[in-house]
Amino acid sequence: MKWGRSIGVVVLALLLSACGAQFTPLFVASGSSGPVIGWRECPGAKYDGITEVALYRWDRDGTADDPGELLWHIKASDGVALHRIRLGIAPQGFTTRHPLAVELEPTSTYALRANMSSDDLVSGFLTFQPRQLAAGRVVFSDGDEESRTSYEDRDNEDFGCFND
């Protein structure tokens, strides 16, 4: 199973880099009810969205395949995909595989791993600290952070979204 995930992450990285993508579409942002996990929507794309997401306590020696201790994991039923999911909650159509039973510490580092619906091999991975999630802030890619406005203003091609 780990080999399959490793190959998937490598395939995603190769696909996104070959297409000129600088960042993965996965992000985490502040929300009115707590952190929100998101997948950047590509204009005109059909059937994309998050179908599975897991939160880990980042291990200093962790990797995308083995990020550390699993803290929370949800997975969608067939045909369900969302672009925004509140961290720690299983929205309608998702099943909790591992409930979130701890409070996140502001200065600890956590990892998010998500799969999207358009292809089981397409996944996103990022690390973040909750203190980065001040109101109006977004953390994406390799822990990069910026205002939600600056993030939304970035060119979609930076995230692998290309117009035909």
Side-chain angles (χ1 to χ4, degrees):
M1 187 67 165
K2 285 187 177 185
W3 281 104
R5 291 247 185 237
S6 296
I7 291 169
V9 170
V10 169
V11 168
L12 172 66
L14 291 173
L15 286 172
L16 291 176
S17 63
C19 296
Q22 185 176 2
F23 308 111
T24 62
L26 181 66
F27 66 88
V28 62
S30 59
S32 60
S33 300
V36 174
I37 300 161
W39 192 270
R40 188 174 177 105
E41 298 177 55
C42 290
K46 294 182 181 177
Y47 313 115
D48 70 333
I50 299 169
T51 58
E52 182 175 16
V53 65
L55 174 74
Y56 300 85
R57 184 179 321 275
W58 179 246
D59 184 325
R60 187 168 12 124
D61 299 320
T63 64
D65 286 333
D66 189 13
E69 176 190 1
L70 177 65
L71 299 177
W72 175 66
H73 179 204
I74 61 172
K75 188 168 183 173
S77 304
D78 288 337
V80 176
L82 298 175
H83 287 98
R84 306 290 182 272
I85 296 172
R86 188 170 149 214
L87 190 135
I89 304 297
Q92 186 173 357
F94 281 72
T95 302
T96 300
R97 300 282 177 96
H98 189 92
L100 182 60
V102 299
E103 189 172 325
L104 302 187
E105 299 168 3
T107 59
S108 292
T109 302
Y110 299 92
L112 278 174
R113 192 166 62 184
N115 291 326
M116 73 178 284
S117 60
S118 63
D119 185 338
D120 288 337
L121 293 179
V122 177
S123 60
F125 177 83
L126 65 83
T127 59
F128 73 99
Q129 292 183 340
R131 69 179 175 172
Q132 294 176 286
L133 301 176
R137 303 296 292 173
V138 174
V139 178
F140 60 103
S141 208
D142 294 326
D144 295 333
E145 79 173 90
E146 64 189 9
S147 73
R148 183 70 182 245
T149 303
S150 295
Y151 177 81
E152 294 296 336
D153 287 345
R154 284 186 176 273
D155 190 321
N156 281 326
E157 288 186 7
D158 290 346
F159 296 90
C161 299
F162 300 98
N163 295 332
D164 290 337

